Amino acid sequence: MRPNAYLYILVMAGVTYLIRMLPLVLFKKEITSPFVKSFLYYVPYACLAAMTFPAILTATAGGIISGAVGLIVALIVAYREKSLLTVALFACAAVFIVERIMGFLM
């Protein structure tokens, strides 16, 4: 690895540590504000969604169309409160079917 890669890893580790350490240092008492509590609760989910959403659409071989169909199917199945495994299997099956149809048409 180049020396810059080690620097990048060190900075990433430092930033990750600071994000986890700062609330412990800044807030001495228990947080009672419902807004702050809900904000701190949902930040990890929002960051995870922001990182994975572009990959959902572009990770498939068929491009954005098959990725979008998989996303829509996953949202519908998840809305019906199915398990994570069921959601993943339905989304994968939808992407597979759409890519087969697109391959047949082209």
Side-chain angles (χ1 to χ4, degrees):
M1 292 175 71
R2 297 186 336 213
N4 287 341
Y6 292 118
L7 179 65
Y8 299 151
I9 293 170
L10 181 66
V11 169
M12 180 194 64
V15 168
T16 303
Y17 177 74
L18 282 176
I19 290 171
R20 295 184 180 275
M21 188 254 327
L22 279 178
L24 295 173
V25 172
L26 296 177
F27 301 110
K28 300 286 184 198
K29 296 188 292 186
E30 182 180 348
I31 299 170
T32 58
S33 168
F35 175 76
V36 174
K37 278 186 170 183
S38 65
F39 176 78
L40 292 174
Y41 180 79
Y42 287 112
V43 164
Y45 298 111
C47 291
L48 182 62
M51 290 187 298
T52 57
F53 183 73
I56 290 171
L57 297 176
T58 59
T60 60
I64 292 178
I65 295 172
S66 59
V69 170
L71 174 64
I72 291 168
V73 168
L75 289 174
I76 292 169
V77 176
Y79 183 74
R80 294 180 182 216
E81 297 182 0
K82 301 299 180 189
S83 70
L84 181 61
L85 180 62
T86 305
V87 172
L89 288 174
F90 271 87
C92 289
V95 169
F96 180 76
I97 291 168
V98 169
E99 287 188 359
R100 293 294 148 216
I101 292 170
M102 289 174 60
F104 178 72
L105 295 176
M106 296 195 175

